[in-house]
Amino acid sequence: QLQLVESGGGLVQPGGSLRLSCAASGFTLERYAIGWFRQAPGKERERVSCITRSGRTTNYADSVKGRFTISRDNAKKTIDLQMSSLKPEDTAVYYCAADGRSANYCSGNARDYDYWGQGTQVTVSS
C-alpha cells in the first residue's frame, strides 16, 4: 500500500514555528519529487514548496519564501517542512504529495502528483 502520512500540525501564535513531517511507505521515494500543498476552506489548493528527487532543486511560493524550508531524507523516507515566522494567512490543511511524472523538476500542477497524504491542520492565531 502506498502511503504518505503528515504530522506536526497544530496551533501556534503568529511569529511562531512548526515543523511538519511526511512519512512515506510502499514506494521508492527517491523516484519522486515531493510537494507540500495547503488548502484553506473555500480556497484553491496551492503549492507551498517542492523538492526534486535528488534534492538539488527546491521551490517555494512567494508567500513563504524566506520563512519555510523543505528537506528530504530518502533513506528515512521522510520529507520535512520547517515553518518559521508564521502568519495567520498560513492557516490551512497542509498536504504532502509525490510526483512521479516530473520527478526531476518541481511541478506546480496538483494533477501531476500521484500520491497524497491525509493532511495536517496548521492554525496560526493569537
Side-chain angles (χ1 to χ4, degrees):
Q1 183 168 321
L2 307 176
Q3 283 190 308
L4 295 167
V5 180
E6 303 94 337
S7 62
L11 175 65
V12 64
Q13 293 185 0
S17 299
L18 283 174
R19 179 183 288 270
L20 305 183
S21 184
C22 176
S25 64
F27 62 97
T28 305
L29 181 62
E30 62 265 30
R31 295 180 181 175
Y32 294 81
I34 302 297
W36 280 97
F37 292 76
R38 67 186 181 188
Q39 188 167 29
K43 296 184 178 180
E44 294 281 343
R45 184 170 296 188
E46 64 172 334
R47 193 192 71 187
V48 175
S49 184
C50 64
I51 186 166
T52 55
R53 59 184 294 185
S54 68
R56 295 189 184 98
T57 301
T58 59
N59 197 21
Y60 299 90
D62 288 342
S63 59
V64 307
K65 284 182 179 177
R67 301 188 298 118
F68 290 12
T69 302
I70 190 171
S71 61
R72 68 187 295 163
D73 187 330
N74 289 336
K76 294 181 179 179
K77 293 189 174 183
T78 58
I79 310 94
D80 287 356
L81 185 69
Q82 176 64 49
M83 307 185 297
S84 301
S85 302
L86 285 162
K87 304 174 180 179
E89 50 263 46
D90 295 319
T91 296
V93 177
Y94 284 71
Y95 302 86
C96 64
D99 172 14
R101 298 179 180 89
S102 51
N104 294 312
Y105 64 94
C106 287
S107 174
N109 189 346
R111 293 177 61 187
D112 289 335
Y113 292 80
D114 300 297
Y115 310 112
W116 293 80
Q118 84 288 350
T120 186
Q121 177 72 48
V122 173
T123 302
V124 185
S125 177
S126 60

